């Protein structure tokens, strides 16, 4: 924080100017001027990094109402002073109502000055209980109360510190004095901190986990005896809050409530700010939305660090070791976030990925879903990595945000021309590709996508209305791995195909028709005429339902001559029941996306030119290949259950 403005208010004669003078000169100065000029107090080098770089003290004259209110509107905190019963009564009758009538929402530090004129310690203690505490409970604006003496330099520095703290470590967002409890936003934030620090997710902060939190937040260790004292205090105040296993979530919240009640809210803020919470108790936008430069025609994928983090997250929350995340396990996993991403819900997750026999998402499906999310909208992945507490200690970042190290930005895809026909150049570092599946209603697109996810063929036909999407890993010839996203556009087909941005995000078109339906292929011919921009994308033609009797297509050109006229390979004949044919199609789709020169319609072939398709592709598949090996090891080696 650069600087704060402290405006000193109060009735005439309460000692406002004397307090400022005693603070600055560190001695009492009698016979000072009525109102002293503004004073800038620089930060002590030993102060907390959250302390303001400088603090401006502005003395005021209560009789000059216009200037007083102008300064109040520019203030960050109000230092409100009284010195006797009359000026005390004016706090609730005049000063607080005036602040409210101005519409300002500033913290107020209430200062009882001239206590050197009081007599009797018992009476002094009574003042604290009878005067200050009721005001704290009645007026939410009052951040703290303190008794001072400018003449004896008693608590003058403390009052100044409280003014700074009211801005840098405000109690108002944390604690409700009327309810005598932490506020809900503070509870939510601290519960998330507990979740992130409970590394084994056993519901307890063990001694090691608590000491690690202490070191992380305050950069110092805690004596084990001090920790045991904390646990004993919690157990006495809230039975079951702490035991030999550690501190429960309820105990952790109770501990922070105790910090708030005893004026140690710097400790709470030390914890919250370490986990990137702002004064409004929201996570800093720099953590959730870090800047990531994406060149034109580049895509975003998970890096090896990102895959490892998501694998560890899956293993941690698969509590029953059944190879899948149940609904309850998913709910607990997403506890520190706003919930399962909206885009996942809209696409009917987990139906978008491979699941086990119980319908629970497997590690293979979990990684596929995040690969698709990152490819289609990397910002969603960054937001959730921030909520999940992803950290990369090898990356130095002043904002505390290192989530971008979990992502990888591919090299820009370039355009080439051959005989005046533009086409996309080959890509060498991509491991995630997007495919639009187009074809006449009822031609078998949905069944193809179900087979893609390893699900059984269904005779029941249901027309696709909403966009249907599926993602899975594809093993290429030679053992290389990548992810393929297949989208069936449904009623959004026209809107998407007319959108150049949407087409640009597509890597390959799969034109599908029903080989047993004589009317099916004409739909593709009409589609290409309606949307000529499709011819700029690599394509693969596929004849579905190949296990049924093949029908002559009612169109000017049959499928094979038609594809030859475009310098493309003839349609692949696929059946949902033929596993080998499906594998061949997936290979063709990925290789078409990787090497568009061979599959762009109307592009003249160059037989003499060789591309070496698989070897360059291996460069970009290292990360995904590694994570797939981990997935296979987990699913097959560790459990042997045979779940997908």
């Amino acid at each position: 924080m650069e600087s704060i403005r402290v405006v000193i208010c109060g009735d005439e004669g309460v000692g406002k100017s004397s307090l400022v003078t005693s603070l600055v000169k560190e001695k009492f100065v009698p016979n000072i001027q009525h109102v002293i000029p503004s004073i800038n107090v620089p930060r002590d080098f030993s102060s907390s990094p959250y302390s303001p770089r400088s603090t401006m003290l502005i003395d005021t004259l209560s009789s000059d109402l216009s200037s007083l209110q102008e300064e109040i509107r520019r203030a960050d905190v109000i230092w409100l002073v009284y010195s006797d019963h009359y000026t005390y009564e004016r706090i609730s009758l005049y000063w607080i109502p005036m602040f409210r009538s101005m519409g300002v929402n500033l913290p107020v530090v209430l200062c009882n000055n001239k206590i050197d004129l009081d007599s009797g310690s018992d009476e002094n203690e009574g003042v604290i209980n009878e005067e200050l505490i009721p005001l704290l409970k009645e007026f939410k604006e009052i951040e703290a109360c303190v008794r001072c003496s400018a003449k004896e330099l008693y608590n003058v520095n403390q009052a100044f510190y409280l003014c700074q703290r009211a801005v840098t470590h405000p109690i108002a967002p944390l604690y409700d004095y009327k309810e005598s409890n932490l506020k809900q936003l503070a509870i939510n934030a601290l519960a998330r901190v507990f979740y992130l620090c409970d590394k084994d997710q056993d519901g307890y902060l063990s001694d090691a986990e608590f000491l690690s939190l202490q070191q992380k937040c305050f950069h110092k260790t805690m004596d084990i005896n001090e920790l045991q004292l904390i646990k004993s205090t919690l157990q006495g105040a809230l039975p079951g809050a702490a035991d030999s296993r550690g501190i429960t979530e309820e105990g952790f919240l109770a501990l922070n409530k105790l910090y708030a009640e005893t004026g140690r809210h710097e400790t709470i803020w030390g914890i919250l700010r370490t986990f990137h919470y702002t004064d409004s108790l929201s996570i800093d936008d720099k953590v959730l939305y870090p800047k990531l430069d994406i060149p034109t025609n580049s895509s975003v994928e998970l890096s090896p660090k990102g895959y490892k983090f998501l694998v560890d997250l899956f293993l941690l929350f698969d509590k029953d070791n059944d190879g899948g995340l149940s609904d309850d396990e998913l709910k607990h996993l997403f506890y520190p976030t706003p919930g399962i991403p909206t885009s996942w819900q809209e696409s009917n997750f987990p139906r978008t990925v491979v699941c086990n026999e119980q319908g629970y998402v497997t590690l293979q499906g979990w990684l596929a879903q995040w690969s698709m999310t990152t490819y289609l909208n990397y910002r969603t992945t960054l937001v959730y990595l921030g909520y999940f507490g992803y950290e990369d200690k090898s990356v130095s970042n002043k904002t505390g945000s290192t989530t971008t190290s979990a992502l990888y930005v591919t090299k820009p895809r370039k355009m080439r021309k051959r005989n005046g026909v533009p086409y996309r150049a080959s890509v060498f570092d991509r491991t995630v590709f997007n495919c639009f599946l187009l074809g006449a209603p009822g031609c078998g697109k949905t069944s193809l996508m179900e087979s893609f996810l390893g699900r059984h063929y269904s005779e029941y036909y249901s027309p696709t209305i909403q966009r249907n999407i599926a993602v899975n890993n594809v093993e290429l010839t030679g053992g290389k791995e990548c992810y393929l996203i297949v989208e069936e556009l449904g009623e959004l087909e026209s809107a998407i195909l007319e959108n150049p941005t949407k087409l640009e995000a597509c890597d390959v078109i799969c034109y599908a028709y029903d080989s047993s339906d004589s009317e099916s292929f004409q739909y593709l011919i009409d589609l290409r005429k309606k949307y000529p921009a499709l011819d700029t994308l690599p394509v693969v033609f596929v004849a579905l339902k190949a296990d049924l009797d093949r029908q002559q297509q009612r169109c000017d050109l049959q499928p094979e001559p038609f594809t030859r006229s475009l310098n493309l390979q003839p349609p692949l004949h696929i059946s949902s029941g033929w596993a080998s044919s499906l594998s061949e199609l997936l290979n063709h789709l990925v290789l078409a996306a990787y090497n568009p020169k061979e599959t762009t319609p109307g592009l003249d072939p160059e037989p003499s030119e060789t591309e070496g398709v698989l070897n360059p592709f291996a460069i970009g598949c290292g990360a995904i290949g590694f994570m797939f090996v981990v997935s296979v090891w987990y699913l097959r080696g560790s459990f042997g259950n045979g779940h997908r």
Side-chain angles (χ1 to χ4, degrees), residues 529-599:
K529 290 180 180 178
K530 186 176 181 181
Y531 304 105
L534 293 177
D535 280 353
T536 63
L537 304 178
V539 303
V540 172
F541 282 84
V542 55
L544 300 179
K545 304 183 183 180
D547 54 324
L548 303 179
D549 291 340
R550 182 177 177 180
Q551 298 293 322
Q552 187 84 356
Q553 294 297 313
R554 295 177 182 172
C555 49
D556 294 338
L557 280 178
Q558 293 301 299
E560 287 78 6
F562 182 83
T563 52
R564 281 199 302 270
S565 70
L566 299 176
N567 297 321
L568 299 174
Q569 293 185 7
L572 296 171
H573 288 264
I574 305 297
S575 169
S576 298
W578 299 350
S580 59
S581 67
L582 177 62
S583 177
E584 183 181 3
L585 171 61
L586 298 177
N587 268 262
H588 273 74
L589 290 172
V590 172
L591 293 178
Y594 161 70
N595 192 29
K597 178 164 52 176
E598 304 300 325
T599 53

Side-chain angles (χ1 to χ4, degrees), residues 268-333:
I268 304 175
W269 279 116
I271 295 171
L272 293 175
R273 284 179 173 147
T274 298
F275 287 84
H276 313 299
Y277 280 94
T278 65
D279 287 354
S280 62
L281 293 180
S282 61
I283 301 177
D284 195 327
D285 282 351
K286 292 179 181 178
V287 174
L288 298 182
Y289 310 102
K291 184 179 180 182
L292 184 64
D293 293 326
I294 312 296
T296 303
N297 295 327
S298 290
S299 62
V300 184
E301 303 178 359
L302 288 166
S303 70
K305 290 180 179 179
Y307 277 114
K308 183 181 185 305
F309 177 81
L310 293 169
V311 168
D312 292 342
L313 204 61
F314 182 98
L315 299 179
L316 180 62
F317 285 91
D318 183 18
K319 294 297 185 181
D320 53 10
N321 293 334
D322 66 346
L325 293 178
S326 66
D327 292 343
D328 287 341
E329 289 169 339
L330 274 174
K331 182 179 180 181
H332 190 44
L333 188 154

